[in-house]
Structure formats: C-alpha cells, structure tokens
C-alpha cells in the first residue's frame, strides 16, 4: 500500500492547480455549461472552504474541498489523477473531509455530482452517502445527483 498523506493544501499550488484544471476539463467535456457546478481556483481560496491534497511523497495525486455552508458542509472539487486511481486516494480524501466536518461542528455533509460519474457514485455510497433532493442554490436538472450523509 502506498504511503498516502492527506494534508491541507493550496488550490494555487501548481500541482493542485493542474489537478483542478484536469477536473474542470473533464466536467466541461461531459456536461453542458449550465450543468457544471465546479468552483474556480479563486473560489476555493475563501475562508469558508478547506482544501486538502493527497500526496505520495512530494507528488500531489488528489484533492477535495469542504465548503462550510453554516448548517452543513458541501464536498467540492473531489478529483484523483487518473494515473493514480486504484491506490485508495479517494477514500483517504473522504475520511479527511468527514474528520474536518466534525471538527467544524457540521452534522451533515452534502454533495452534487454528475450522473455520468459512476465511480464517484460508488465511492460516495461506499462511505454511507444516500440520494437526496437539491439543496442550497441547486435546482433539479437532468444530470445532477444529490447526496447526503449525517455524521451523527
């Protein structure tokens, strides 16, 4: 098993930025513009968002963010380098997000993902997330899947 460390990161770090750009390109390839809800790099650098990276040595292989929405947390920008998949990186990132949400006193985590991202659905369900309706500013559409998990 590789030695994966999940640590607070900076979306503006070149390795993190490269991963985010890969993620954004994939979302733009798969979904129409009005169906994309990713945050740009500057939006990930605000006080209400905690950004984490997964590293193997000095190489950043994955990232995720937790947006504190007051009464719940929202997972944003979950992405693992395609060449690093299968190492359990996404599971490490999920555990970190839940630890961070609990540390912030958040009892619930929610997320929006695309219907074509089947591996993501599998990951989230493996961590106990269940389908829910739209939340926050989201509206129902033909490609969004909304999920939630109570941390209590």
């Amino acid at each position: 098993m590789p030695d994966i460390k999940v640590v607070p990161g900076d979306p503006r770090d070149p390795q993190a930025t490269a991963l985010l750009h890969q993620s954004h390109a994939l979302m733009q390839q798969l979904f129409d513009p009005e169906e994309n809800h990713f945050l740009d790099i500057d939006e990930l650098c605000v006080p209400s968002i905690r950004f984490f990276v997964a590293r193997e040595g000095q190489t950043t292989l994955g990232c995720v963010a937790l947006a504190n929405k007051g009464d719940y947390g929202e997972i944003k920008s979950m992405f693992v380098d395609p060449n690093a998949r299968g190492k359990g990186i996404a599971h490490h990132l999920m555990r970190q997000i839940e630890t961070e949400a609990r540390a912030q006193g958040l009892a619930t985590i929610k997320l929006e993902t695309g219907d074509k991202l089947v591996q993501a659905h599998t990951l989230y369900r493996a961590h106990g997330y269940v389908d829910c309706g739209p939340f926050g500013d989201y509206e129902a559409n033909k490609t969004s899947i909304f999920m939630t998990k109570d941390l209590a």
Side-chain angles (χ1 to χ4, degrees), residues 6 53-54 62-64 78 80 89-97:
V6 177
V53 294
C63 61
V64 67
M78 167 68 84
V80 173
I89 293 167
H91 294 287
H92 286 285
L93 291 166
M94 291 298 294
R95 286 189 289 275
Q96 180 62 47
I97 283 298

Side-chain angles (χ1 to χ4, degrees), residues 65-114:
L66 178 70
N68 186 321
K69 300 292 190 172
D71 55 346
Y72 64 92
E74 182 181 355
I75 295 175
K76 301 296 290 183
S77 302
M78 167 68 84
F79 189 74
V80 173
D81 182 326
N83 296 319
R85 293 186 183 157
K87 295 183 174 190
I89 293 167
H91 294 287
H92 286 285
L93 291 166
M94 291 298 294
R95 286 189 289 275
Q96 180 62 47
I97 283 298
E98 292 184 10
T99 297
E100 179 64 25
R102 285 183 179 98
Q104 291 185 28
L106 299 170
T108 305
I109 299 179
K110 300 181 182 218
L111 63 93
E112 180 275 339
T113 190

Side-chain angles (χ1 to χ4, degrees), residues 21-107:
H21 284 164
Q22 283 183 48
S23 174
H24 297 169
L26 177 63
M27 296 307 107
Q28 290 167 334
Q29 177 185 347
L30 294 174
F31 303 105
D32 292 336
E34 67 274 7
E35 297 167 341
N36 270 305
H37 303 288
F38 61 77
L39 298 178
D40 69 31
I41 291 165
D42 288 337
E43 291 174 310
L44 289 168
C45 297
V46 298
S48 61
I49 293 182
R50 294 277 295 161
F51 184 80
F52 296 93
V53 294
R55 291 193 178 129
E56 186 176 31
Q58 296 301 310
T59 304
T60 299
L61 299 175
C63 61
V64 67
L66 178 70
N68 186 321
K69 300 292 190 172
D71 55 346
Y72 64 92
E74 182 181 355
I75 295 175
K76 301 296 290 183
S77 302
M78 167 68 84
F79 189 74
V80 173
D81 182 326
N83 296 319
R85 293 186 183 157
K87 295 183 174 190
I89 293 167
H91 294 287
H92 286 285
L93 291 166
M94 291 298 294
R95 286 189 289 275
Q96 180 62 47
I97 283 298
E98 292 184 10
T99 297
E100 179 64 25
R102 285 183 179 98
Q104 291 185 28
L106 299 170

Side-chain angles (χ1 to χ4, degrees), residues 9 139 151:
E139 295 180 9
L151 298 177

